[in-house]
Amino acid sequence: MTEKQTVKATVKYIRLSPLKVRRVLDQIRGRSYEEALLLLEFMPYRSCGPIWQVLNSAAANATNNLGLNKQSLVVKTTYADQGPTLRRFRPRAQGRGYQIRKPTCHITLILEGNKI
């Protein structure tokens, strides 16, 4: 009987809005590792790059630390939390300063696989 094991990988302080990252994470949640990689490769969004790196990191954690097979991995849980917001000022008319908010996010990805 094979037992399911989970492995986790996170990346922090990514200079992307969490809302824009979540729309890509919703597409790969519940899919196999290979199918998720294929989707991320051909999606036109900027957030696919950091998500692709986290997915590869989680798969490497699974093979090196737990001895799981990459073909058996499934994306179980994904979420993007809000990180600290960078605040910048842009000069405006009559000496005013207009605040610009540059959001960051933390991406967490949990894979599930069978031990061989």
Side-chain angles (χ1 to χ4, degrees):
M1 186 169 158
T2 60
E3 61 180 79
K4 301 249 182 194
Q5 290 188 325
T6 60
V7 66
K8 179 179 176 181
T10 60
V11 64
K12 293 187 173 188
Y13 306 107
I14 298 297
R15 258 289 293 120
L16 292 166
S17 169
L19 290 173
K20 293 179 182 179
V21 173
R22 283 182 197 130
R23 73 176 168 197
V24 176
L25 290 177
D26 290 341
Q27 296 296 318
I28 67 167
R29 191 177 297 121
R31 299 187 187 260
S32 70
Y33 165 72
E34 293 169 341
E35 193 177 354
L37 278 181
L38 202 68
L39 273 173
L40 290 173
E41 189 175 346
F42 293 107
M43 279 185 164
Y45 303 116
R46 188 176 139 216
S47 61
C48 289
I51 295 171
W52 189 83
Q53 287 181 332
V54 177
L55 186 60
N56 275 334
S57 176
N61 289 344
T63 56
N64 293 329
N65 299 343
L66 300 176
L68 299 177
N69 190 5
K70 282 188 178 182
Q71 284 77 25
S72 70
L73 295 175
V74 175
V75 180
K76 182 180 178 186
T77 310
T78 60
Y79 50 90
D81 296 326
Q82 187 171 355
T85 302
L86 303 174
R87 291 187 177 91
R88 302 291 181 257
F89 286 93
R90 166 157 287 175
R92 300 299 281 190
Q94 298 179 357
R96 292 189 176 98
Y98 181 75
Q99 188 178 30
I100 296 174
R101 292 180 186 90
K102 298 188 172 197
T104 63
C105 70
H106 307 312
I107 303 169
T108 305
L109 205 130
I110 299 174
L111 296 178
E112 186 177 58
N114 293 330
K115 183 121 175 146
I116 293 177

